Amino acid sequence: MTGIDVAIDGIDGPTGPMVAAVAFGIEPGASLALIGESGSGKTLTAKSLVGLLPNGFVARGVLRVDGRAHPLDATDASWRRVRGREVSLLLQDPFTSLSPVHRCGPQIAWTLEAQAGRRLPKRELDLAVAKRLAEVNLPARVARAYPHELSGGMRQRVAIAAALASDPRLLIADEPTTALDASNQAEILDLLRALQIERGMAMLLISHDLGLVRGRTDDVLVMRHGEVVERGATATVLSSPEHAYTRALIAADPVLAIEADRHDRPDRPDRPDRPGDALGHGADIGVSGRIPLISATGVVKRFGLRTVLDGVDLSIAPGQVVGVVGESGSGKSTLARCIAGLEREDGGSIVFDGRPLAPGRRSRTPEQMQIVFQDPYSSLNPMMTIGAILREALAVGGRRPEEVPALLELVGLPADAAAKRPAQLSGGQRQRVAIARALAPRPRLLICDESVSALDVQVQAQILDLLGRLRDELDIAILFISHDLAVVRRIADTVTVVWQGRVVEHGTCAQVLDEPSEDYTKLLVAAARRDSTGRTTVA
Amino acid sequence: MLAVRVLGTAAILFVLSIIVFSMLHLAPGDLVKTLLGTRPASPEAVAAIREQYHLDDPLPVQYLRWLGGVLSGDLGESIRLQTSVSDAIAARLGLTLALCGLAFAIALAVGVPLGVQSAVRAGGVLDRAGTTLGVIGLSAPTFAVGLLLLYVFAYYLPIFPVYGGGRGPLDTLYHLVLPAVTLAAGLGAIVLKLTRTAMLRELDADYVTSARARGIPESRTRRLALRNAAIPIVTGASLLLTFLVGGTVLAETTYALPGLGTLLQDSVLFKDLAVVQALTLLVALVIAMIALLADLAYLMLDPRVRAQGGAA
């Protein structure tokens, strides 16, 4: 009997059962996708299969690898014999899954030595490490590099090489591309698929993104609240989902939803004076007669010797949503921070409503602009209630504390949320609080720095709808920073593409994303399109 | 970055030198009488003192003359010992350095492994015992620990000498064991806490989970975590060296060791200002150097900071 056979009877946490019974099998050389939103128990399932559940969690059941049975509640000592040679786990975030103070070579070498059970001669080890790096399409010199010297995609390749160096029968990849840019995501997933087939290894790919697994796994398993709601061949489940939840997941997927969105958009009651739509080819909005709310000209920012922003121009009209896209390190967040006054630009000018703003926070008032950050888990003070957080923000804008319920209603939160603390809210609810806090002083510009990137697709869609509604209701301008083209397309009127600290392309959403004229934009669009292999279009 | 730190250290030392110089003038009582010490205050002697210390010059000139002397190794004369201050310090420096070094080594040798083990089995017997020991070590005053150790290991079980610095390197080491253990009690407790906290955090990090998940043996995983934890431990521990400066006065007094601590104590009691000035400056210099070295160690241990330092 070959292959992987998993029979989990249940996983219990300190507060009760977390995952119900789930059973699945994976043939050697086949792959299975486990789909579910955060909190659905998929990461616990993954960790239970390597015996690394957090303290206080217990799994019951059995893992069979080629007929060898490994009880899930075995002692750590017996799990050590299973980890590596039978099962290996690839983690989500390549920025934290490699030790920052060790070079990449040794980190791969440790797996090799653990597998051999003895120290290996240096020459032999160097050759073996180079071979493993070549397998993930990395040059041998990467072995000498520290993780921080590599890009996210390269780090995840190193992590893959390290995880596969033990030649496991089963590789569990837990959201292996969530922390990566769009252009890297497809490459990493394709690499994993190729390695899995080449080695005749079984793979369990865990993801919250149903779109990403299309064409990359043989079967799919959809989980919700710790229970399996649907399973089947990947192509079948995606084309004809049976469970309502699977259908909702597909509908919420921004890449999938784009097709529909393109048809929806013209039907939406559009305001005639939407400047971004009226203007062509990235012309300066100020020229067309309407004064921009904010315009940045030739903004330069250096960190040490590194030039992060190299003369960036950007302008936003009142009530307009401008998307800024680019990969991490492109300078898009720095631009947002310069505009918000959180970083002091080294050159260029930023003009708000006709008046120039000096660099830094002191020259800005809360009523001018507010920022919503990426991570709603760390941007709210965990010790304060939501009501206290919002009262503080209202006071900053000179408003009265009685307006808290109205503010909560504005962002679609129930009034009783005021008494809760951030830890009692979900990620989406927290981001709503962060948005409410930003709106409290009635700013004219809202800066969203990757504000939906940390959220699950469904929640992402809700927050995007909320932002769109707020723009229409409050006539607020939004600067929307994101690495995700699909998300930007959903909300922005015009798009500015930033690469290596420069603006490479600017125009309306349709122009830039449907008919990109610059090579770099084409690359980005193509990468986003590859994500949705099998689907008709992204752009 | 490093250049900035060195300049900052120099600036701090400059300010400190002014403060130390002013000690002479800020000391309570008549300056000349203080400088005369036990000698009779005849008009000639007073004149001689004013002449010797250039007390009639403007203050900045006095400061510069004093600073010039300090920089060329002339720290003045000790009234109490009737020798040059540099000789008095040189004669006692070795013993204090040996005491501090030994105490620090004991603290690390006990605190780090115990901290690692406490973190690995958090909540276990060793962890709880370690925490209890840590609280005792941290809260017991140095002189109390010293007296207790003296009573038990020098009087009740006469294994170690009661007082004195000993003759010859081996005998000195033998004499220093109890004082060093006394000093190491408080120090080791902090090292233990530092190591435990840092290790707990690192053992919880993704890269440790990732290492375990690919079958890397536990011993290697622990070394991996310790290497990462070394960054906060080393920076923390080097700042702890400054803790020794105060502690050594107490330990040397308890064990009647002829080191810098007892020298400082006696000089303060006798208003031997030149020695107090020199020792204060020495302590400030040592602390500033330790802080600088801690930064260097940080640079050495963390390749990420190294890369930034290289770019700036």
Side-chain angles (χ1 to χ4, degrees):
Chain A
M1 172 184 171
T2 59
I4 307 299
D5 193 43
V6 173
I8 298 176
D9 298 331
I11 301 176
D12 297 333
T15 55
M18 304 296 289
V19 177
V22 47
F24 53 84
I26 313 173
E27 299 281 305
S31 61
L32 171 72
L34 184 59
I35 302 293
E37 302 206 326
S38 62
S40 62
K42 55 195 196 315
T43 294
L44 284 177
T45 306
K47 291 202 164 160
S48 75
L49 297 180
V50 285
L52 287 174
L53 283 173
N55 276 339
F57 287 82
V58 189
R60 287 166 284 111
V62 67
L63 161 73
R64 281 192 182 79
V65 182
D66 295 340
R68 294 179 294 276
H70 306 296
L72 297 183
D73 54 0
T75 59
D76 202 52
S78 41
W79 266 116
R80 274 175 217 159
R81 289 192 292 275
V82 181
R83 290 178 208 142
R85 75 194 53 173
E86 304 265 57
V87 191
S88 193
L89 174 67
L90 177 66
L91 293 175
Q92 170 177 350
D93 190 351
F95 294 84
T96 57
S97 65
L98 296 169
S99 165
V101 299
H102 292 92
R103 294 178 199 274
C104 293
Q107 308 208 34
I108 298 171
W110 296 332
T111 321
L112 292 167
E113 285 190 329
Q115 208 42 36
R118 64 192 166 89
R119 294 195 71 102
L120 299 170
K122 188 171 176 335
R123 265 182 57 90
E124 196 183 316
L125 210 51
D126 285 349
L127 279 173
V129 167
K131 193 178 129 232
R132 300 294 175 162
L133 284 171
E135 217 178 18
V136 294
N137 307 327
L138 286 176
R141 65 181 161 75
V142 167
R144 301 278 311 145
Y146 286 104
H148 73 267
E149 295 167 333
L150 306 175
S151 70
M154 285 169 91
R155 282 189 223 194
Q156 194 60 304
R157 282 165 196 271
V158 172
I160 291 172
L164 291 182
S166 57
D167 298 318
R169 300 298 303 141
L170 168 67
L171 175 70
I172 305 171
D174 186 6
E175 302 260 12
T177 62
T178 309
L180 300 178
D181 292 327
S183 57
N184 281 319
Q185 279 188 346
E187 279 174 28
I188 293 291
L189 288 173
D190 290 340
L191 173 69
L192 280 173
R193 174 66 164 165
L195 287 169
Q196 173 251 315
I197 292 172
E198 204 177 288
R199 291 163 160 254
M201 170 182 78
M203 179 165 80
L204 178 63
L205 177 64
I206 293 176
S207 179
H208 65 270
D209 192 340
L210 203 47
L212 275 181
V213 306
R214 170 171 290 196
R216 291 176 181 123
T217 62
D218 301 299
D219 295 301
V220 65
L221 202 73
V222 181
M223 272 180 102
R224 185 188 199 187
H225 302 322
E227 278 181 50
V228 175
V229 296
E230 183 154 4
R231 65 170 81 203
T234 307
T236 318
V237 171
L238 277 173
S239 57
S240 48
E242 284 181 5
H243 197 278
Y245 178 68
T246 316
R247 283 198 290 275
L249 268 185
I250 292 175
D253 185 45
V255 191
L256 274 173
I258 273 164
E259 176 75 321
D261 202 41
R262 289 176 76 189
H263 298 302
D264 283 354
R265 223 183 160 83
D267 307 335
R268 223 162 63 182
D270 240 355
R271 288 167 304 170
D273 63 343
R274 182 76 64 76
D277 291 348
L279 279 165
H281 303 284
D284 186 357
I285 287 142
V287 179
S288 75
R290 197 165 165 178
I291 299 167
L293 178 67
I294 191 155
S295 76
T297 322
V299 174
V300 175
K301 174 71 192 172
R302 293 183 202 91
F303 290 117
L305 290 180
R306 210 157 59 89
T307 304
V308 180
L309 292 177
D310 193 5
V312 174
D313 299 339
L314 183 84
S315 76
I316 307 170
Q320 191 190 22
V321 181
V322 173
V324 174
V325 295
E327 303 199 339
S328 61
S330 61
K332 57 187 192 309
S333 277
T334 309
L335 176 65
R337 295 176 68 85
C338 282
I339 289 175
L342 298 174
E343 296 282 356
R344 305 173 70 92
E345 66 271 18
D346 297 314
S349 69
I350 295 174
V351 177
F352 186 88
D353 207 13
R355 284 189 305 278
L357 294 177
R361 222 148 43 101
R362 288 204 177 164
S363 55
R364 284 145 173 89
T365 63
E367 292 82 9
Q368 285 173 335
M369 59 190 88
Q370 287 289 322
I371 188 162
V372 179
F373 294 99
Q374 169 171 359
D375 186 2
Y377 291 85
S378 58
S379 66
L380 299 176
N381 186 340
M383 303 304 288
M384 284 167 77
T385 63
I386 305 305
I389 289 171
L390 294 182
R391 280 193 294 277
E392 187 182 67
L394 284 168
V396 163
R399 294 172 66 182
R400 288 143 46 81
E402 293 84 66
E403 293 181 72
V404 166
L407 206 53
L408 285 171
E409 196 193 330
L410 184 67
V411 296
L413 284 173
D416 64 0
K420 293 182 176 165
R421 287 180 207 279
Q424 293 164 282
L425 301 180
S426 71
Q429 287 174 322
R430 284 184 223 202
Q431 200 59 298
R432 283 174 195 268
V433 174
I435 292 170
R437 179 176 62 180
L439 291 175
R442 297 195 211 275
R444 298 179 58 199
L445 172 66
L446 189 65
I447 300 171
C448 297
D449 187 4
E450 297 273 12
S451 301
V452 299
S453 307
L455 304 173
D456 291 327
V457 274
Q458 263 191 326
V459 184
Q460 209 172 51
Q462 292 163 6
I463 297 291
L464 287 176
D465 287 345
L466 169 67
L467 287 173
R469 184 168 62 75
L470 290 173
R471 190 268 306 267
D472 292 341
E473 283 176 15
L474 307 175
D475 200 37
I476 194 171
I478 300 178
L479 171 60
F480 193 86
I481 312 278
S482 180
H483 67 275
D484 192 336
L485 293 189
V487 163
V488 168
R489 153 158 241 141
R490 216 169 172 155
I491 181 150
D493 303 313
T494 70
V495 176
T496 299
V497 183
V498 181
W499 183 56
Q500 295 189 347
R502 292 167 183 273
V503 172
V504 293
E505 192 160 357
H506 174 77
T508 63
C509 241
Q511 277 167 9
V512 176
L513 300 183
D514 292 340
E515 296 129 26
S517 57
E518 294 297 319
D519 287 344
Y520 177 70
T521 318
K522 285 177 187 160
L523 198 78
L524 272 186
V525 171
R529 193 179 281 144
R530 238 181 302 143
D531 271 355
S532 56
T533 314
R535 278 169 282 176
T536 41
T537 178
V538 168
Chain B
M1 189 193 96
L2 202 59
V4 174
R5 278 295 283 115
V6 173
L7 279 178
T9 307
I12 289 170
L13 286 176
F14 171 69
V15 173
L16 273 167
S17 74
I18 293 179
I19 295 172
V20 168
F21 169 75
S22 328
M23 279 164 61
L24 192 65
H25 295 270
L26 294 174
D30 183 40
L31 181 62
V32 176
K33 270 197 187 132
T34 308
L35 289 174
L36 270 172
T38 51
R39 283 171 285 180
S42 64
E44 299 82 49
V46 170
I49 286 288
R50 294 201 80 86
E51 172 65 28
Q52 189 192 341
Y53 287 89
H54 306 280
L55 292 181
D56 298 321
D57 288 349
L59 273 179
V61 175
Q62 287 187 40
Y63 167 70
L64 285 178
R65 181 174 286 125
W66 174 80
L67 187 66
V70 168
L71 290 178
S72 59
D74 174 15
L75 296 161
E77 292 282 318
S78 162
I79 325 158
R80 187 174 64 92
L81 300 167
Q82 299 296 326
T83 58
S84 80
V85 174
S86 28
D87 285 348
I89 289 178
R92 290 154 167 260
L93 185 64
L95 188 93
T96 299
L97 281 183
L99 176 62
C100 290
L102 194 60
F104 196 56
I106 295 173
L108 286 185
V110 176
V112 172
L114 211 56
V116 170
Q117 285 305 317
S118 301
V120 167
R121 296 194 210 296
V125 179
L126 192 75
D127 184 25
R128 274 174 290 165
T131 308
T132 314
L133 274 180
V135 171
I136 294 172
L138 207 56
S139 43
T142 307
F143 70 88
V145 176
L147 287 176
L148 186 74
L149 288 178
L150 262 181
Y151 183 75
V152 176
F153 293 104
Y155 174 75
Y156 193 68
L157 295 168
I159 311 171
F160 290 103
V162 178
Y163 65 89
R167 289 170 198 283
L170 268 182
D171 193 38
T172 306
L173 195 67
Y174 177 56
H175 276 80
L176 287 182
V177 170
L178 277 191
V181 170
T182 306
L183 267 181
L187 209 59
I190 304 176
V191 172
L192 171 82
K193 278 269 169 217
L194 261 176
T195 310
R196 182 177 179 276
T197 313
M199 273 302 276
L200 270 182
R201 197 180 55 223
E202 297 300 331
L203 284 172
D204 211 29
D206 267 3
Y207 65 85
V208 169
T209 308
S210 158
R212 282 178 177 155
R214 51 188 209 264
I216 290 172
E218 201 54 27
S219 57
R220 167 82 79 183
T221 312
R222 256 172 239 174
R223 283 212 301 276
L224 170 70
L226 185 59
R227 174 63 184 77
N228 275 277
I231 299 168
I233 296 173
V234 168
T235 39
S238 42
L239 291 175
L240 281 182
L241 278 172
T242 57
F243 170 90
L244 279 172
V245 174
T248 189
V249 177
L250 294 168
E252 285 178 18
T253 310
T254 312
Y255 291 92
L257 291 173
L260 291 181
T262 38
L263 178 65
L264 180 64
Q265 191 207 3
D266 293 343
S267 304
V268 169
L269 285 177
F270 277 86
K271 285 196 184 175
D272 195 349
L273 268 173
V275 180
V276 176
Q277 276 181 312
L279 283 175
T280 312
L281 205 58
L282 186 69
V283 167
L285 186 73
V286 166
I287 290 177
M289 286 300 136
I290 289 170
L292 194 62
L293 285 177
D295 278 7
L296 279 177
Y298 191 68
L299 216 58
M300 213 173 66
L301 287 170
D302 195 335
R304 291 160 295 182
V305 183
R306 208 149 63 214
Q308 276 168 21

